[in-house]
């Protein structure tokens, strides 16, 4: 308690000389000492009542009340509504970076007190979803959608773990063979480094089927993406989110320059502040067929620990394809002409074969046209697509997926103008058909 009193007085009377790492350190200490969390919330709540409290106090108060405010919610005068109101009185007088921390607290309030605050919080999110500041706008839109999905909100807004143990706990989890929700991780660490390596079939499936989503997340950070394709070109936005109160320094993203896909990345800041997000734009050109998605390596430092993350980027070869409709004679002629570039295997289905679902996978996710007039067997799927690459170059890809419902297996046959493209499409589709995530 004595330390908390002293540090709050220091922040209150000397804010102009207080740097960001100071309040980050206070959050760290409070997060790892449960016996001071209630007292800290009481004291910061009182400090926020001062009409001219400084911005560092607002940041600290917003974080603490969002995480631990429930500990004082039953005391007279410091209930959920009072906590929300005292923070909201500061909203108009603080910077945009502080406002984003306030929005974080508001969505946590809405989750903790579903009968008291969601309507008031929703109004604020609606108002700021058209804000000029992109960070305020994005958070408001995301949190507004989160309020609709209460089950998801409960998982996303779980209480943050003690900051001091974040890296150690993650490494221990990895050593035990646990998997991250979106990616499998392996780590190698010493006193100053923690290394994460990501790659698994779950991620491969997401890459094949989604144009936006989460690439990676743990207690330290979250990485999301949105991507748009047009023939051989694509534009991708990646979002890096710091989920701790500590800054990430020496933040750097390196790309694989030897990959058949050329990627140009916009410059980003080399520091990501605590509880903040930044985004990076990528311009992409597919120069040739490829089997494995390109890798990026993200590195940064937090509390003297260096984090290295190898990340599969969110696109596969079929993302650069377009469906093409062929009549029977056209299909058969091309099928015969490409017989030297064939890949055919018997593939065991991971699920009960569902032809309708396979059709949706091939057409909606993998960009094939379904040619229903060619095979009269309703359980078989005949498909065609054009692979776009280079300077307006094209390569035809043909596919037969023949289902044996009794044995629950497929005969998968793929042909194209090059064996490399045939193998690339085969590897992707066979992995999807044998992965239980398909259902």
């Amino acid at each position: 308690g004595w330390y908390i009193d002293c540090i709050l007085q220091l922040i209150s009377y000397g804010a102009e000389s207080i740097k960001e790492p100071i309040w980050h350190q206070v959050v760290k200490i409070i997060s790892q000492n449960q016996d001071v969390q209630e007292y800290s919330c009481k004291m910061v709540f009182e400090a926020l009542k001062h009409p001219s409290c400084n911005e560092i106090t607002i940041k600290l108060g917003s974080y603490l009340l969002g995480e631990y405010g429930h500990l004082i919610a039953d005391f007279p005068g410091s209930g959920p509504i009072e906590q929300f109101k005292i923070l909201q009185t500061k909203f108009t007088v603080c910077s945009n970076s502080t406002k984003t921390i306030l929005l974080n607290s508001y969505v946590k309030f809405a989750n903790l007190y579903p009968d008291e605050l969601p309507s008031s919080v929703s109004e604020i999110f609606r108002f700021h979803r058209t804000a000029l500041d992109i960070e305020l706008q994005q958070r408001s839109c995301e949190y507004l959608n989160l309020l609709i999905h209460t089950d998801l909100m409960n998982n996303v807004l779980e209480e943050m773990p003690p900051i001091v143990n974040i890296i150690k706990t993650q490494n221990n989890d990895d050593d035990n063979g646990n998997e991250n929700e979106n990616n499998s991780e392996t780590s190698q660490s010493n006193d100053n480094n923690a290394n994460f390596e990501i790659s698994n079939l779950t991620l491969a499936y997401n890459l094949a089927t989604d144009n936006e989503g989460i690439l990676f997340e743990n207690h330290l950070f979250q990485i999301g993406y949105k991507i748009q394709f047009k023939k051989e070109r694509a534009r991708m936005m990646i979002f890096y989110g710091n989920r701790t109160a500590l800054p990430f320094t020496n933040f750097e993203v390196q790309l694989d320059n030897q990959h058949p896909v050329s990627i140009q990345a916009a410059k980003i800041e080399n520091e990501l502040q605590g509880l903040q997000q930044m985004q990076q734009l990528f311009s992409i050109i597919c120069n040739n067929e490829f089997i494995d998605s390109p890798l990026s390596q993200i590195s940064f430092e937090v509390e003297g620990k260096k984090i290295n993350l190898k990340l599969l980027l969110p696109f596969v070869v079929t993302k650069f394809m377009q469906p093409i409709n062929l009549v029977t004679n056209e299909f058969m002629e091309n099928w015969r002409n490409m017989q030297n570039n064939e890949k055919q295997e018997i593939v065991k289905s991971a699920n009960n074969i569902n032809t309708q679902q396979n059709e949706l996978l091939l057409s909606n996710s993998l960009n094939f046209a379904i040619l229903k007039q060619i095979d009269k067997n309703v359980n078989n799927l005949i498909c065609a697509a054009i692979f776009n690459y280079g300077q307006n170059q094209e390569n035809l890809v043909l596919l037969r997926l023949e289902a044996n419902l009794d044995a629950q297996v497929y005969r998968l046959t793929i042909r194209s103008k090059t064996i490399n493209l045939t193998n690339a499409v085969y590897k992707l589709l066979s992995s999807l058909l044998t992965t239980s995530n398909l259902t």
Side-chain angles (χ1 to χ4, degrees):
W2 172 85
Y3 174 81
I4 300 301
D5 290 339
C6 290
I7 201 69
L8 283 176
Q9 288 185 21
L10 178 63
I11 290 173
S12 297
Y13 297 114
E16 66 280 355
S17 61
I18 299 294
K19 298 185 181 299
E20 291 285 321
I22 298 296
W23 81 270
H24 296 165
Q25 183 69 14
V26 176
V27 168
K28 172 184 171 181
I29 292 171
I30 294 172
S31 73
Q32 67 188 49
N33 291 283
Q34 292 185 0
D35 56 336
V36 301
Q37 291 170 0
E38 179 182 312
Y39 180 79
S40 301
C41 287
K42 286 181 181 178
M43 298 309 296
V44 79
F45 182 72
E46 291 301 318
L48 288 169
K49 291 180 180 179
H50 196 285
S52 59
C53 71
N54 57 65
E55 196 150 333
I56 296 293
T57 302
I58 298 172
K59 289 180 178 181
L60 180 61
S62 178
Y63 185 89
L64 292 181
L65 293 180
E67 287 294 325
Y68 311 116
H70 61 278
L71 298 174
I72 65 171
D74 293 331
F75 294 115
S78 60
I81 295 177
E82 287 82 6
Q83 292 182 39
F84 170 72
K85 285 183 176 179
I86 197 67
L87 290 177
Q88 185 59 13
T89 61
K90 313 299 180 184
F91 197 92
T92 57
V93 298
C94 59
S95 66
N96 286 336
S97 63
T98 302
K99 288 177 180 178
T100 59
I101 300 175
L102 288 167
L103 293 183
N104 292 345
S105 298
Y106 294 168
V107 74
K108 291 178 181 179
F109 284 162
N111 182 49
L112 286 171
Y113 314 111
D115 297 328
E116 299 170 273
L117 287 174
S119 59
S120 299
V121 168
S122 295
E123 290 180 10
I124 295 172
F125 293 156
R126 288 192 188 94
F127 181 81
H128 288 94
R129 63 184 175 180
T130 56
L132 293 178
D133 183 84
I134 189 65
E135 187 69 24
L136 283 176
Q137 180 187 118
Q138 182 173 332
R139 291 196 187 209
S140 296
C141 292
E142 290 175 348
Y143 292 161
L144 198 58
N145 287 329
L146 200 58
L147 291 176
I148 302 172
H149 303 90
T150 55
D151 291 340
L152 178 62
M153 183 166 65
N154 291 333
N155 293 328
V156 171
L157 300 177
E158 288 182 354
E159 184 176 310
M160 291 289 287
I163 293 172
V164 70
N165 293 326
I166 288 176
I167 297 175
K168 182 177 179 182
T169 300
Q170 185 63 44
N171 288 339
N172 289 343
D173 287 347
D174 294 335
D175 291 340
N176 293 331
N178 293 340
E179 289 195 354
N180 173 270
E181 180 179 351
N182 298 292
N183 309 284
S184 63
E185 300 179 14
T186 60
S187 71
Q188 301 170 341
S189 64
N190 52 38
D191 290 341
N192 296 313
N193 295 280
N195 298 309
F196 300 90
E197 198 160 328
I198 293 92
S199 179
N200 71 4
L201 285 180
T202 302
L203 179 59
Y205 179 78
N206 291 336
L207 295 179
T209 58
D210 298 330
N211 285 340
E212 61 180 272
I214 303 298
L215 282 179
F216 177 80
E217 62 180 343
N218 64 9
H219 295 315
L220 280 174
F221 45 86
Q222 182 185 69
I223 303 174
Y225 72 97
K226 291 184 179 180
I227 189 167
Q228 294 179 322
F229 294 88
K230 186 175 182 180
K231 292 189 174 182
E232 73 277 6
R233 296 178 180 269
R235 285 170 58 87
M236 175 175 65
M237 187 72 75
I238 289 187
F239 307 89
Y240 308 102
N242 183 346
R243 306 181 89 170
T244 78
L246 302 171
F248 294 167
T249 58
N250 296 322
F251 197 97
E252 185 178 8
V253 179
Q254 295 182 333
L255 300 170
D256 180 5
N257 294 325
Q258 304 302 316
H259 198 273
V261 174
S262 300
I263 307 173
Q264 289 187 335
K267 292 183 178 180
I268 55 173
E269 298 293 329
N270 64 359
E271 185 166 324
L272 178 56
Q273 293 296 327
L275 306 175
Q276 299 296 309
Q277 184 187 85
M278 65 179 173
Q279 57 192 32
Q280 186 174 25
L281 180 64
F282 296 80
S283 298
I284 299 162
I285 300 177
C286 179
N287 298 312
N288 215 328
E289 61 269 303
F290 59 96
I291 293 179
D292 296 318
S293 299
L295 281 171
S296 69
Q297 181 162 310
I298 300 168
S299 61
F300 59 88
E301 294 180 11
V302 54
E303 281 202 304
K305 301 282 186 179
K306 186 169 184 180
I307 309 297
N308 295 305
L309 172 65
K310 289 184 178 179
L311 190 72
L312 281 172
L313 290 177
F315 47 87
V316 290
V317 67
T318 55
K319 291 295 186 182
F320 298 97
M321 288 171 33
Q322 292 178 298
I324 180 172
N325 288 304
L326 301 175
V327 299
T328 302
N329 290 340
E330 290 176 314
F331 178 88
M332 297 308 299
E333 180 180 357
N334 282 286
W335 185 259
R336 288 190 294 270
N337 291 339
M338 297 189 296
Q339 60 183 335
N340 292 331
N341 296 318
E342 178 184 278
K343 177 75 172 181
Q344 183 181 93
E345 297 285 348
I346 301 299
V347 178
K348 177 69 175 177
S349 177
N351 314 286
N352 290 329
I353 291 178
N354 185 321
T355 302
Q356 184 177 8
Q357 186 177 10
N358 290 338
E359 185 174 330
L360 290 174
L361 171 68
L362 288 164
S363 59
N364 293 356
S365 299
L366 302 186
N367 298 317
F368 279 96
I370 310 297
L371 311 179
K372 294 187 176 183
Q373 76 280 8
I374 295 177
D375 194 324
K376 294 182 180 180
N377 187 333
V378 295
N379 295 316
N380 296 341
L381 296 175
I382 312 301
C383 310
I386 291 292
F387 170 65
N388 302 284
Y389 67 102
Q391 296 295 323
N392 297 316
Q393 298 186 68
E394 297 179 343
N395 193 335
L396 181 64
V397 184
L398 302 180
L399 179 154
R400 300 179 71 103
L401 184 65
E402 300 166 281
N404 183 328
L405 300 183
D406 294 331
Q408 288 295 297
V409 297
Y410 301 102
R411 182 166 66 180
L412 173 60
T413 311
I414 298 172
R415 294 182 182 182
S416 74
K417 291 183 179 180
T418 69
I419 193 61
N420 288 338
L421 181 57
T422 296
N423 289 334
V425 176
Y426 170 80
K427 181 178 179 180
L428 174 62
L429 183 53
S430 62
S431 70
L432 296 179
L433 294 172
T434 57
T435 301
S436 60
N437 295 74
L438 191 58
T439 57

